[in-house]
């Protein structure tokens, strides 16, 4: 009976001791938060308990995992990427070898390259700016496009000067927000099965899935390059803007409206654009990463559909065909004008010859 009474008296002391240990653990966790890594074999709560029990010599059985539910609730919660996904194209081509050398010096060699044959097709770096515990991603492409993921505007502006320096064709077009950029909101949700587009928002499952980000970036890079060609075509249309009216008013013969030199220049610009879009560029080609990693093909195709790449490419070629027809009409009119002038010169020479013959005859 005495032993039983002693055990009953020790129960409050044991409970008090356990409460003190829990208070000590909570204070330790407040001063030294533990980040849960996806590579752990245990759940987030079990990881915290094991780490705390190891440093404080507590038994795992004395801890309650429910005490830590509030800590790992934020880990799986969807979060919005500040800065979103931003893409633009300032030049038709980048010198990737020189650009990589420059990026190696800026990022201490932490630069990933993705090759297409013997040439560098894309470069990836992580931005120095941090959003919480994550860093942004930057992809540079050989077609002159750059795609930013979670990168602040200030860093994007610094990248523009870098692109102008390494434009291989030295043709840097002034930035135009309506034609050469994409700006998507971005959200990371670990609970979804795979990445997808929804209402101009890119939903990602894993922020550090580089191959998935690269596949989407390829689609946006192709789209921004096409936008740059669209801007060039708009310039051609403006130069040819008075041609239809001139044809309708039968004033095409007026030299002041369109000279032969200007016509040749327009034909050369048209030919250059057609060759760049349909021969030199790879706007409609699937990138190598899609063939090597079939799992990223669905999100790449969703990106292509979201930016309407194929429809816009058809529209660009249709507009080029119309410009070509107008220039052919102009060229035909100029040829006719040259022919008419030659006929006048010949008729004049014949008339002079007849007059000379008549003068000889009367003399």
């Amino acid at each position: 009976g005495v032993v039983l009474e002693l055990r009953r008296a020790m129960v409050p002391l044991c409970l008090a001791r356990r409460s003190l240990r829990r208070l000590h653990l909570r204070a330790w966790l407040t001063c030294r938060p533990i980040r849960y890594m996806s590579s752990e074999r245990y759940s987030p709560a079990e990881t915290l308990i094991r780490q705390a029990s190891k440093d404080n010599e507590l038994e795992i059985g004395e801890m309650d995992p429910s005490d830590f539910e509030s800590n790992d609730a934020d880990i799986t919660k969807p979060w919005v990427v500040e800065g979103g996904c931003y893409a633009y194209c300032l030049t038709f081509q980048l010198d990737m070898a020189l650009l990589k050398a420059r990026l190696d010096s800026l990022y201490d060699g932490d630069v990933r390259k993705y090759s297409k044959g013997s040439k560098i097709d894309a470069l990836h770096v992580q931005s120095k700016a941090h959003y919480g515990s994550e860093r942004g991603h930057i992809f540079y492409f050989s077609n002159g496009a750059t795609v930013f993921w979670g990168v602040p505007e200030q860093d994007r502006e610094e990248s523009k000067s870098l692109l102008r320096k390494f434009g291989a064709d030295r043709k840097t077009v002034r930035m135009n927000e309506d034609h050469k950029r994409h700006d998507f909101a971005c959200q990371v949700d670990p609970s979804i099965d795979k990445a997808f587009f929804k209402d101009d928002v890119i939903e990602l499952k894993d922020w550090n899935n580089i191959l998935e980000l690269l596949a989407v970036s390829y689609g946006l890079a192709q789209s921004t390059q096409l936008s740059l060609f669209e801007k060039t075509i708009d310039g051609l249309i403006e130069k040819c803007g008075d041609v239809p009216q001139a044809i309708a008013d039968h004033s095409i013969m007026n030299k002041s409206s369109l000279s032969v030199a200007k016509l040749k220049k327009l034909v050369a610009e048209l030919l250059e654009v057609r060759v760049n879009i349909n021969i030199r560029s790879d706007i409609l080609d699937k990138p190598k990463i899609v063939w090597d990693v079939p799992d990223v093909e669905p999100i790449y195709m969703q990106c292509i559909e979201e930016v309407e790449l194929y429809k816009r490419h058809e529209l660009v070629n249709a507009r080029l065909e119309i410009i070509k027809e107008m220039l052919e009409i102009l060229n035909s009119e100029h040829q006719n004008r040259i022919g008419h002038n030659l006929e006048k010169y010949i008729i004049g020479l014949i008339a002079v010859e007849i007059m000379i013959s008549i003068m000889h005859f009367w003399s």
Side-chain angles (χ1 to χ4, degrees), residues 87-96 99 120-122 139-148 159-160 162-164 166-169 171-173 175 180 220-222 224-226 228-229 281-282:
Y88 60 68
C89 184
L90 294 182
T91 180
F92 290 108
Q93 188 179 2
L94 286 176
D95 192 329
M96 299 299 282
L99 178 59
I120 301 176
D121 197 33
F139 293 92
Y140 298 93
F141 294 92
S142 58
N143 64 4
T146 307
V147 183
F148 303 89
S159 178
K160 287 182 183 179
L162 195 66
L163 295 177
R164 292 188 178 97
F166 295 98
D169 59 355
K171 289 184 178 179
T172 302
V173 182
M175 187 67 178
K180 295 183 287 301
L220 297 179
Q222 290 172 325
T224 54
Q225 186 188 32
L226 181 58
L228 196 61
F229 286 123
S281 69
D282 54 356

Side-chain angles (χ1 to χ4, degrees), residues 171 236 239 260-276 327:
K171 289 184 178 179
L236 278 175
K239 295 177 181 178
V260 177
K262 184 178 180 181
L263 174 61
K264 290 182 178 179
K265 185 177 180 180
L266 288 175
V267 171
E269 291 180 8
L270 174 64
L271 180 60
E272 182 181 9
V273 173
R274 290 173 66 94
V275 170
N276 287 335
L327 295 181

Side-chain angles (χ1 to χ4, degrees), residues 58 67 77 109 167 235 276 309 312:
L58 298 177
D67 294 340
K77 184 179 179 181
N276 287 335
L309 184 66
R312 288 164 53 205

Side-chain angles (χ1 to χ4, degrees), residues 196-346:
F196 61 90
F197 279 79
K198 181 181 179 181
D199 301 329
D200 293 332
V201 177
I202 304 175
E203 295 277 354
L204 299 174
K205 179 178 178 61
D206 184 2
W207 176 246
N208 292 312
N209 188 339
I210 305 300
L211 296 180
E212 197 169 64
L213 296 179
L214 178 62
V216 178
S217 299
Y218 261 113
L220 297 179
Q222 290 172 325
S223 177
T224 54
Q225 186 188 32
L226 181 58
S227 297
L228 196 61
F229 286 123
E230 289 172 341
K231 182 62 177 178
T232 305
I233 294 172
D234 289 341
L236 278 175
I237 294 176
E238 290 180 2
K239 295 177 181 178
C240 300
D242 58 340
V243 172
Q245 187 64 35
I247 296 175
D249 297 340
H250 303 285
S251 60
I252 197 69
M253 306 300 290
N254 187 3
K255 293 184 178 180
S256 61
S257 62
L258 187 65
S259 63
V260 177
K262 184 178 180 181
L263 174 61
K264 290 182 178 179
K265 185 177 180 180
L266 288 175
V267 171
E269 291 180 8
L270 174 64
L271 180 60
E272 182 181 9
V273 173
R274 290 173 66 94
V275 170
N276 287 335
I277 292 178
N278 297 292
I279 299 178
R280 293 178 181 173
S281 69
D282 54 356
I283 292 177
L284 298 183
D285 296 342
K286 283 187 179 181
K288 187 175 181 293
I289 185 67
V290 174
W291 298 105
D292 294 342
V293 186
D295 292 340
V296 302
E297 184 176 4
I299 186 62
Y300 169 78
M301 296 306 298
Q302 286 187 39
C303 179
I304 294 301
E305 293 177 2
E306 184 73 19
V307 298
E308 299 181 337
L309 184 66
Y310 296 138
K311 293 181 180 178
R312 288 164 53 205
H313 187 270
E314 292 178 359
L315 180 60
V316 163
N317 277 319
R319 296 172 72 185
L320 288 174
E321 192 65 27
I322 293 174
I323 296 175
K324 177 186 175 183
E325 291 177 0
M326 286 195 303
L327 295 181
E328 286 179 347
I329 293 174
L330 290 178
N331 185 59
S332 176
E333 292 292 338
H334 279 294
Q335 294 297 328
N336 291 336
R337 188 176 69 180
I338 293 174
H340 292 159
N341 291 335
L342 288 176
E343 290 176 359
K344 291 179 181 178
Y345 296 149
I346 293 173

